[in-house]
Amino acid sequence: MMRLTTYNIRYDTPVDGDWAWAARRPYVIENLRRLAPDLFCVEEALPHLYADLNALAGFAHVGIPRDGDGQGEAAAIYYDPAKFTLEDAGHQWLSATPAVPSFYPGTGNRRVFQWAKLQEAASGREFVAVTAHLDDGSAAARVAGVRQIGAFLTAQQPGLPVFVCGDFNMEPDDPAYAAMPASFQDSLKVAAQVIDPLGGTWMDDLSYVPHANPVMQRLDYVFVRDLAVSSYAVDTTVSAPGKYASDHFPVTVELNFREENHD
């Protein structure tokens, strides 16, 4: 079994006042330690946020800031090297020029997806992990991003179990959700056990404070191919100061390899 967490940790911004990254950092890290994933993926990790997470004991990582020259937010994959061996890794910008830092037409931010080919030590099974942060303003960019990730996996990583996770900036009625390859399943829909206390992963008022009847959106996903999902849980734990550690809630899934087919 693999335990995976995907978590948009929110970038560092003065808009958050006394709840900016310096204040939130210990509670984001506390959440990750408490959830105890074997792998976790993050979005919105500016270089100093990324450095803080890189110091988290027990994890190796792959990822790249999206603006080039070490600048911008990173979408990164962290894994326990005692449980997984990194066999290959890479990234693409979600654009017509995926090998260089670049924009999809009409968007305000560069977007990148990160992938890693890993081998589980206990079973010897290989799989591919992908994380991405899709565009928040352009449905066309989200659709193109999903299709680009799908095309990469079909061409470069055929036949292996895969999970694709991250902040997709979409709800299930978004065209990008429908554009996901048919071979991928939404982990929420196929999990044997589901815990989703507030009915979403993002509370859209940026108050960070629990309150009655919050307006929720589901923006964070784990899609799987050839992996069974035993549990899906959105964690809404409130930190000691009485606030959520990020504007997004971490999503944790437990994944199992399906039985191999033999001729």
Side-chain angles (χ1 to χ4, degrees):
M1 183 192 76
M2 297 184 292
R3 186 171 172 86
L4 162 71
T5 295
T6 183
Y7 198 3
N8 182 326
I9 59 173
R10 183 163 171 81
Y11 69 109
D12 192 8
T13 170
V15 170
D16 289 339
D18 62 3
W19 200 237
W21 176 248
R24 295 188 297 106
R25 174 178 54 208
Y27 305 110
V28 168
I29 291 174
E30 180 180 291
N31 281 346
L32 288 167
R33 286 179 172 147
R34 177 176 44 78
L35 292 168
D38 303 309
L39 311 99
F40 69 90
C41 300
V42 298
E43 300 81 47
E44 297 195 18
L46 287 167
H48 58 296
L49 281 67
Y50 197 15
D52 288 340
L53 293 178
N54 292 350
L56 192 61
F59 289 93
H61 61 92
V62 291
I64 185 169
R66 68 191 185 188
D67 293 334
D69 296 324
Q71 301 301 307
E73 299 172 16
I77 299 169
Y78 290 78
Y79 62 95
D80 181 345
K83 297 180 179 179
F84 306 99
T85 299
L86 180 67
E87 296 190 334
D88 199 3
H91 54 271
Q92 290 186 6
W93 277 267
L94 295 170
S95 73
T97 53
V100 296
S102 46
F103 295 86
Y104 184 87
T107 60
N109 292 297
R110 298 177 181 89
R111 302 286 178 172
V112 65
F113 78 88
Q114 175 69 46
W115 63 271
K117 182 179 177 182
L118 297 158
Q119 182 182 59
E120 185 185 48
S123 67
R125 299 285 298 272
E126 296 176 325
F127 65 98
V128 178
V130 178
T131 192
H133 188 189
L134 300 186
D135 198 73
D136 59 333
S138 169
R142 290 192 294 274
V143 169
V146 163
R147 289 176 174 165
Q148 184 177 330
I149 293 168
F152 165 78
L153 291 168
T154 298
Q156 302 296 327
Q157 305 292 342
L160 289 178
V162 179
F163 69 74
V164 180
C165 71
D167 176 2
F168 283 68
N169 272 312
M170 68 181 186
E171 293 205 76
D173 60 354
D174 193 274
Y177 185 97
M180 282 297 297
S183 58
F184 282 85
Q185 298 175 303
D186 180 345
S187 60
L188 171 62
K189 293 188 174 182
V190 298
Q193 179 184 28
V194 172
I195 300 172
D196 189 8
L198 299 178
T201 66
W202 185 64
M203 190 171 73
D204 68 358
D205 63 4
L206 287 181
S207 70
Y208 298 100
V209 178
H211 56 274
N213 304 313
V215 177
M216 300 298 303
Q217 294 186 36
R218 185 179 177 220
L219 303 182
D220 306 87
Y221 295 82
V222 180
F223 293 97
V224 297
R225 183 182 74 190
D226 293 331
L227 290 165
V229 185
S230 57
S231 68
Y232 169 103
V234 181
D235 183 79
T236 59
T237 300
V238 182
S239 68
K243 295 182 178 182
Y244 298 120
S246 175
D247 57 333
H248 289 248
F249 298 124
V251 177
T252 300
V253 297
E254 293 182 337
L255 304 172
N256 295 281
F257 290 108
R258 298 188 184 279
E259 292 298 321
E260 293 182 277
N261 294 321
H262 300 279
D263 295 332

